Amino acid sequence: MNVLAEIVAGVREDLEGRMAQTPLDHLEELAARAPAAKDGVGALRGDCVQVICEIKRASPAKGALAPIADPAALAAHYAAGGAAAISVLTEQRRFNGSLADLSAVRSTVDTPLLRKDFIVTAYQLWEARAHGADLALLIVAALDQPALTSLIEQAHAIGLTPLVEVHDQNETARAVDAGAQVIGVNARNLKTLQVDRGTFARVAPLIPEHIVKVAASAVRGPQDVIAYADQGADAVLVGEALVTGPDPRAAVADLVAAGKRNRETGRP
């Protein structure tokens, strides 16, 4: 079973409906009227390990996680806790997300926003920008090399910072060759949904120093932030641990503090 292929097939089907309803030129007009996108690279690189907090109602691996009736309110808690960026799931079939969630969050916080979805066309990049995103996820495993390179270039052209997701050494080489400036290493294999907590340690040494390194998945608390920092992470992306916990603001603050403490010790 290739879960990723199934998800992408559904995304393409839903995309056809949105494209029929909203012409590309309308999205371009909305994007042109939107405030300038925030610097995604600058937001994720700093003196401490940055924390990306995710608004995530469900996942293919775990099913329903949290109802999140008010994503904007949750985003406000994340921002108050010190999130460097906020990731908003917009895929509807497996993650119960929507572009409306992205717009609602954008209207509430000034924090840089990542549109997290299965992006396969430039139309989705324009959607992301029109609804307030500053960064957009591109998954190497879902794209051939020409498409990956083209989407990275088009994202930059419209002001988005692409966060390019990889799962192994081969995908990392492809991301670097395609011109990625931010690479996210996902411990979860999207084809099988299995988690390998050793993925980042294997892959990070292959990422050049000038590229921002993001550790995604398998972050359960402050100790995982410290562990990923020791392995060279510039940022971590946290979702499930935040949406299922009782106090997201305090949880984010604890993660941010762990990132600061790690860098203050002088460890790499």
Side-chain angles (χ1 to χ4, degrees):
M1 176 182 67
N2 186 330
V3 177
L4 177 61
E6 293 178 2
I7 293 173
V8 170
V11 164
R12 289 187 180 277
E13 185 176 330
D14 294 338
L15 179 59
E16 289 180 4
R18 295 200 305 277
M19 292 176 71
Q21 184 175 20
T22 305
L24 177 59
D25 59 1
H26 180 60
L27 287 178
E28 292 174 345
E29 291 174 6
L30 292 175
R33 294 200 297 266
K38 296 172 176 60
D39 177 11
V41 172
L44 300 181
R45 189 192 292 279
D47 295 333
C48 59
V49 178
Q50 306 299 320
V51 180
I52 307 169
C53 302
E54 192 155 83
I55 294 173
K56 182 178 185 179
R57 293 189 179 90
S59 75
K62 298 289 185 70
L65 297 173
I68 311 182
D70 189 346
L74 179 57
H77 285 304
Y78 287 165
I86 296 173
S87 170
V88 182
L89 262 300
T90 58
E91 196 279 333
Q92 63 188 51
R93 299 192 182 202
R94 299 294 189 97
F95 294 89
N96 295 338
S98 69
L99 286 164
D101 289 344
L102 184 59
S103 292
V105 172
R106 177 75 293 159
S107 68
T108 302
V109 300
D110 292 327
T111 309
L113 300 185
L114 165 68
R115 181 191 183 182
K116 194 171 183 185
D117 208 316
F118 298 78
I119 292 176
V120 291
T121 73
Y123 182 92
Q124 292 162 287
L125 296 175
W126 284 106
E127 283 183 322
R129 193 69 201 93
H131 288 269
D134 307 289
L135 304 96
L137 184 72
L138 297 176
I139 301 173
V140 172
L143 301 164
D144 62 27
Q145 195 64 9
L148 175 63
T149 301
S150 176
L151 287 171
I152 288 175
E153 292 173 351
Q154 291 178 79
H156 285 305
I158 65 175
L160 289 166
T161 300
L163 194 163
V164 183
E165 181 176 298
V166 304
H167 304 83
D168 58 30
Q169 293 92 329
N170 178 64
E171 291 179 7
T172 301
R174 288 182 56 200
V176 173
D177 289 345
Q181 295 180 354
V182 181
I183 292 180
V185 181
N186 195 342
R188 188 181 300 281
N189 185 321
L190 292 180
K191 296 179 180 179
T192 65
L193 301 184
Q194 297 301 307
V195 172
D196 179 352
R197 295 185 183 277
T199 301
F200 188 86
R202 289 194 302 273
V203 167
L206 303 177
I207 303 174
E209 190 63 28
H210 70 277
I211 297 175
V212 175
K213 305 171 186 66
V214 181
S217 293
V219 179
R220 299 157 295 186
Q223 289 303 315
D224 289 323
V225 175
I226 293 170
Y228 277 134
D230 285 341
Q231 295 166 13
D234 297 297
V236 296
L237 188 150
V238 192
E240 181 181 340
L242 296 177
V243 300
T244 59
D247 189 341
R249 177 176 177 174
V252 173
D254 287 343
L255 296 172
V256 171
K260 289 180 179 178
R261 284 199 304 270
N262 181 270
R263 289 297 165 92
E264 288 168 358
T265 65
R267 282 182 281 179

